[in-house]
Each structure stands twice: as structure tokens, then as C-alpha cells.
């Protein structure tokens, strides 16, 4: 375990007995979810209805007009719990063609009111994935209720980490 | 377009001519990336080395010991640019077995210094995916360099959104 922690300390900008590298500053991390072109608007509306997310930015196609067959909206930025994510037309980015993300990815969405959050998501069109249960390690071991949204994303609605983490070492 | 925006306004807690629903408050959204059990420690080390991420929390298996074949570390929380994500042992969560996330997902990582960020990620073990280029709609149209990390995740390292968004309506 100690070895892993030490290996991880070789971040850019730290001294490693070798040259000191330039430190790169990142200002934001935003997951960008791709959906079919015709579903971008629906997906944005779903995330607003299901989670009370706020649309903070939208990008329209530079050439399409509202009266054409293809939708004008190609990407929108959604704000949810002080984080942002993007919902985009999959045809706009070739790197999205590889649908697998690692060995899987879910979004943990932390709230004190898991029942109401699951209910609201289901009402908006998500499908409950099992019952609300005590997680075992999942999202730090609190209670968790999972829903799968109409766009194939699993949301693990769970107790805030800060309240439930017992086995903390780092 | 106006219709989409109005549809999206039916968030929990707003008046819709019907009953006023209870408002659910979310405190955080954290993407949870799953990797093989044996790779959790390596993945955490990679994200530290590649992006200067900080490990803020780790969860060990309640029964495994350091001298056993299976690794002790089953999940870690990583902080990067004021966001958090989790890296977890895939065997701990059955909902992770569906590897497809929508029609694909990448992480947009915003920085002013795209070249240095791509270089650091490649040096840490990521593979560059094409050249740094002017995005067309991607991450709001700024410059973008893509890398794929050893765990199958594509990172679009790009110009901060706030500087490049021209076509903003919302």
C-alpha cells in the first residue's frame, strides 16, 4: 500500500530526483455524455426534470436552421450540485465511438433525501435498478438507490460521502 | 428551441400548474470509474502522475489483508480541479457490468496549457489520440488535444469553456 501511495506522488511539478517539470493547472473537469443527435434536447430536458439541473450554456450548430430536419442544438452544459457536465450530439466527436468507458462508469449523486430523489428521477423517465439498500463499499458505504436514465447512464443516488466514510486512510 | 427550454423547466420543486413537488438538494456529483480489482492502485497512481490529481479518500476491503492475493484497496476518491471522481474495483458493483455509457463519454479537462498537459499525460502512460487541433463544437470550440488513458478513458484536454463560448443562448 505504501508503495502505491509513493508511486502516485510523482505528479508533474514535483521534484523526483530529476528535473522539476512544469506544473499544469486544470480549471475544470466536465464529463461529456454523448447521445444521438435527435436526443440532445430531450436529454437536457430530462436532466432538468429528474435532478433539477440547470442549463448554463448551449452550443448550436453553425449551419443548421430551426426549420431543418437535423436539430440545431448540438451540445449543452448542465450544472448540477456545483459540478458541470455536457450533453452532446455523438456525431460531433469521433472519439465517442468507443462506447466502453474503462470497465464501466456510473455517476454518484449525493443527497440526504434518497427516496425523493429516486422518485423524481423515475417520474421523469428513469428506471429504478433494484431497491434502495445499504451499499457495501459503493459510494463509501452509505445508503444507495440506483436508477438508469433513458440515455443509458446509471446514477447511484447515495448518502454524502463525508457523513459515511469510516475507513479513511489518505 | 423555445419548446425545449420550456420542457426543461419542469424541475422538482417548481410550480407546473399542478402540485408543487418537494425539492431535492444534491450536494455532489462524482463520476465513479470502474477498473479491474488488480488495477485500482495503479489507476490512482496514474491519475496523480498524469494530471497532478490528489487522493482525498480511500476505502479498503473490510476483510482482505495486505498479504493476500487480492488487493486491499477497493475504491479511492480523487480530486482534480475542484471536482472529485472515484476509481473503484469493478467487482464491487454489479451495475458496472454494462460498459456502455450512453453513446459514449469523454472527460473534458480544461487548462490554458494544453501542450504541457498532453505531454504529462503521455509521459505517465496515456496514448495521444491525434494532434492538438481546433475543436469544432467539441468542448465549446477551443483547442483540444485528446489522450486515452491505460484504463480506457478518453480525456479531451481543452481550452476553458468560459473563454471560447461564442454561441451562447441560455
Amino acid at each position: 500500500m505504501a508503495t502505491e501511495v509513493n508511486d502516485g506522488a510523482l505528479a508533474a511539478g514535483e521534484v523526483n530526483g530529476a528535473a522539476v517539470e512544469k506544473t499544469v493547472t486544470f480549471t475544470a473537469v466536465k464529463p461529456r455524455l454523448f447521445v444521438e443527435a435527435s436526443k440532445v434536447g430531450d436529454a437536457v430536458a430530462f436532466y432538468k426534470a429528474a435532478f433539477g439541473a440547470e442549463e448554463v450554456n448551449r452550443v448550436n450548430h453553425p449551419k443548421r436552421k430551426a426549420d431543418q430536419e437535423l436539430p440545431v442544438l448540438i451540445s449543452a452544459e448542465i450544472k448540477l450540485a456545483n459540478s458541470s457536465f455536457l450533453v452532446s450530439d455523438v456525431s460531433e466527436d469521433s472519439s465517442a465511438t468507443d462506447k466502453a468507458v474503462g470497465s464501466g462508469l456510473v455517476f454518484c449523486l449525493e443527497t440526504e433525501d434518497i427516496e425523493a430523489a429516486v422518485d423524481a428521477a423515475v417520474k421523469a423517465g428513469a428506471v429504478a435498478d433494484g431497491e434502495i439498500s445499504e451499499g457495501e463499499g459503493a459510494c463509501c458505504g452509505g445508503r444507495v438507490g440506483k436508477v438508469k436514465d433513458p440515455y443509458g447512464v446509471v446514477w447511484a443516488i447515495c448518502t454524502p460521502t463525508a457523513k459515511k466514510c469510516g475507513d479513511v486512510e489518505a
Side-chain angles (χ1 to χ4, degrees), chain A residues 13-76:
Chain A
E14 293 185 20
V15 179
N16 179 27
V20 179
E21 290 176 36
K22 186 177 173 185
T23 302
V24 177
T25 302
F26 296 104
T27 51
V29 185
K30 297 174 186 171
R32 188 179 193 208
L33 175 70
F34 293 96
V35 299
E36 290 172 40
S38 62
K39 293 183 178 173
V40 177
D42 289 346
V44 171
F46 169 82
Y47 292 119
K48 288 177 178 175
F51 304 130
E54 182 191 357
E55 181 182 321
V56 292
N57 193 16
R58 57 166 51 205
V59 178
N60 289 332
H61 195 284
K63 292 177 182 167
R64 292 179 194 159
K65 302 292 176 194
D67 58 351
Q68 292 179 331
E69 196 171 329
L70 286 166
V72 173
L73 178 64
I74 55 173
S75 189

